[in-house]
Amino acid sequence: MAAPAFVSRLNQQLGYEFGAHQQYVAIAAYYDALTMPQMAALFYNQAVEERDHAMMMIQYLLDADAEIRIPALEAPEMAFADVIAPVKLALDQEKRVTDQINELTRIARDENDFASDQFMQWFVKEQVEEVSKMSDLLAVVTRSASDYERIEDWVAREDTGEGSDPTAPRKAGA
């Protein structure tokens, strides 16, 4: 089924996805404490999305009859200098995940693991959207750092949430 090198790296990716989940919860809590409910909601939703990505990967490993190993996680960053820092951290994280997803795709292709390559294509598309979303948000937050209401208004207007994607891989437990 899935190539051993791909399985090993996908298990490693589980830690990154669960770590991103925790980091986004920490960012959401930071904005919640600032009474920025739109920003908090955006990052709480991002946290759920990252958890869902990990659960999709777990389901794929189950379907491939591969071993599942969930690595230990480092504590997320909790203290931020200003309202810009968490979004900058989120953008950097999304760029790093993009590199990780591309590496997983490369491994699948190098191993002639066509099923794993096909599985990764949804994540490739997803990362383009995530980097774009965080880039836009960073621009707005940087421009409006001293005007929390302006940031909140922009998020309320622009972040319409994401509907269900029928092309998304199935999540474990769903």
Side-chain angles (χ1 to χ4, degrees), residues 55-167:
M55 299 306 284
M56 291 170 183
M57 292 172 182
I58 288 171
Q59 186 61 55
Y60 182 76
L61 291 168
L62 288 167
D63 290 344
D65 198 27
E67 180 182 12
I68 299 168
R69 292 182 317 258
I70 300 171
L73 303 177
E74 291 184 28
E77 189 171 328
M78 297 290 298
F80 302 100
D82 54 32
V83 295
I84 299 168
V87 181
K88 175 74 171 105
L89 177 67
L91 176 58
D92 291 345
Q93 179 172 276
E94 291 299 342
K95 288 178 177 179
R96 192 170 45 255
V97 170
T98 297
D99 291 342
Q100 294 161 352
I101 295 299
N102 290 340
E103 178 62 11
L104 274 160
T105 303
R106 185 199 61 74
I107 291 169
R109 289 180 179 180
D110 286 353
E111 298 290 322
N112 293 320
D113 183 351
F114 303 113
S116 295
D117 179 29
Q118 189 271 336
F119 169 71
M120 293 309 301
Q121 294 311 302
W122 182 86
F123 292 96
V124 170
K125 173 187 70 81
E126 177 74 4
Q127 283 310 121
V128 171
E129 295 167 8
E130 293 301 321
V131 169
S132 175
K133 179 179 183 176
M134 288 302 150
S135 293
D136 289 351
L137 184 59
L138 181 59
V140 169
V141 171
T142 300
R143 193 170 45 236
S144 304
S146 63
D147 188 349
Y148 293 4
E149 294 307 315
R150 190 169 183 184
I151 296 167
E152 288 286 282
D153 289 345
W154 185 87
V155 172
R157 184 179 65 248
E158 297 296 324
D159 187 39
T160 58
E162 297 178 12
S164 177
D165 182 351
T167 67

